[in-house]
């Protein structure tokens, strides 16, 4: 069975106190790659986004993490209304107008999908082009650890055990410098994805 994955990450102007994404903050970056199960890239979408009215809603903490300079960002960003059209056309083209349901993939990808649907595309339109199923490798890593197939993975920035992209990226020896840009995070995630796929392909098949 051939699969088409849409590997994605977005960066936002802020989060709620418990870490959940909140649509009250501006969406600043969105990066997507459409790949097959061999991680061959079909297409990419790289958006820097600004509000139509020019009024960003951001928190200092979020900008400190993402290192986004709003002054520079604003000069190259497209307005949300333009980003909506670009995203819709990208999904329509790469799904063959919904005939191929692309599988969203990333760490915490369902949170990204909810935020994208709050800001850039309606949920029915998203579901026309993308599968309701998703591939998030954080719980996959947790399962491997539970059954003793994978060691605990410390997060380099804190030293705590984690299934975050930073921790998993470090474990597979990806270059995790300058993370927390949407494009960089997708690049790191793809290296984790390649590592997990290679391991899974080497495992015996389940009995029929």
């Amino acid at each position: 069975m051939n699969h088409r994955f849409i590997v994605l990450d977005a960066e936002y102007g802020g989060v709620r106190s418990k870490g959940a994404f909140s649509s009250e903050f501006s969406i600043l970056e969105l990066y997507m790659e459409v790949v097959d199960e061999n991680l061959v890239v079909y297409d990419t979408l790289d958006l820097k986004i600004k509000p139509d009215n020019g009024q960003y809603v951001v928190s200092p903490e979020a900008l400190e993490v993402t290192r986004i300079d709003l002054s520079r960002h604003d000069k190259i960003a497209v307005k949300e209304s333009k980003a909506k059209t670009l995203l819709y056309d990208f999904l329509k083209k790469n799904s063959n107008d919904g005939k191929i349901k692309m599988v969203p993939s990333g760490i915490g990808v369902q949170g990204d999908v909810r935020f994208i649907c709050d800001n850039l595309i309606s949920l029915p339109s998203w579901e026309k082009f993308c599968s309701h199923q998703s591939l998030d490798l954080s719980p996959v890593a947790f399962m491997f650890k539970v059954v003793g197939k994978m060691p605990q993975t410390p997060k380099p920035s804190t030293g705590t055990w984690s299934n975050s992209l930073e921790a998993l990226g470090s474990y597979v020896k990806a270059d995790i410098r300058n993370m927390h840009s949407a494009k960089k995070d997708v690049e790191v995630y793809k290296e984790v994805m390649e590592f997990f796929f290679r391991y899974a392909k080497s495992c015996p098949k389940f009995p029929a």
Side-chain angles (χ1 to χ4, degrees):
M1 181 182 294
N2 294 322
H3 291 90
R4 188 168 294 188
F5 298 94
I6 183 164
V7 187
L8 64 96
D9 188 66
E11 300 296 337
Y12 314 97
V15 295
R16 292 181 179 144
S17 59
K18 293 184 178 180
F21 299 132
S22 172
S23 58
E24 69 192 71
F25 292 103
S26 301
I27 184 167
L28 302 176
E29 294 183 354
L30 176 62
Y31 184 76
M32 297 177 161
E33 289 193 7
V34 178
V35 304
D36 65 14
E37 58 264 36
N38 296 310
L39 301 185
V40 174
V41 178
Y42 290 104
D43 203 358
T44 64
L45 180 68
D46 189 0
L47 295 176
K48 306 292 188 291
I49 304 167
K50 60 184 175 183
D52 283 350
N53 63 7
Q55 301 299 308
Y56 291 92
V57 181
V58 298
S59 70
E61 295 83 3
L63 295 184
E64 183 177 0
V65 170
T66 62
R67 300 179 300 278
I68 291 175
D69 180 332
L70 282 184
S71 178
R72 293 178 60 189
H73 174 89
D74 194 72
K75 290 180 173 64
I76 60 173
V78 300
K79 291 184 176 180
E80 276 193 19
S81 53
K82 177 66 172 177
K84 290 176 181 179
T85 300
L86 293 171
L87 174 60
Y88 186 92
D89 291 347
F90 178 82
L91 297 175
K92 178 182 173 73
K93 178 180 71 171
N94 287 289
S95 68
N96 193 11
D97 196 19
K99 294 182 176 66
I100 303 169
K101 294 291 187 181
M102 297 182 290
V103 179
S105 188
I107 298 295
V109 69
Q110 284 299 334
D112 284 314
V113 169
R114 287 193 296 272
F115 201 101
I116 290 166
C117 291
D118 280 345
N119 287 271
L120 298 177
I121 190 171
S122 70
L123 181 59
S125 291
W126 176 270
E127 291 180 339
K128 177 180 178 181
F129 306 128
C130 299
S131 173
H132 68 278
Q133 298 184 88
S134 61
L135 179 64
D136 185 339
L137 292 179
S138 179
V140 176
F142 177 72
M143 181 194 70
F144 283 159
K145 293 173 185 180
V146 167
V147 298
K149 295 295 185 181
M150 185 177 182
Q152 289 294 342
T153 49
K155 190 175 180 180
S157 60
T158 63
T160 56
W161 289 348
S162 173
N163 297 315
S164 67
L165 180 58
E166 180 188 334
L168 297 179
S170 176
Y171 176 74
V172 304
K173 296 180 170 53
D175 181 0
I176 62 171
R177 293 173 296 178
N178 301 315
M179 287 183 60
H180 302 297
S181 75
K183 184 175 182 179
K184 176 64 176 182
D185 287 4
V186 165
E187 290 172 352
V188 173
Y189 181 83
K190 281 177 60 187
E191 292 196 51
V192 176
M193 198 173 179
E194 193 276 334
F195 180 93
F196 276 61
F197 277 19
R198 187 172 66 249
Y199 176 81
K201 288 176 181 178
S202 71
C203 295
K205 289 185 177 181
F206 286 102

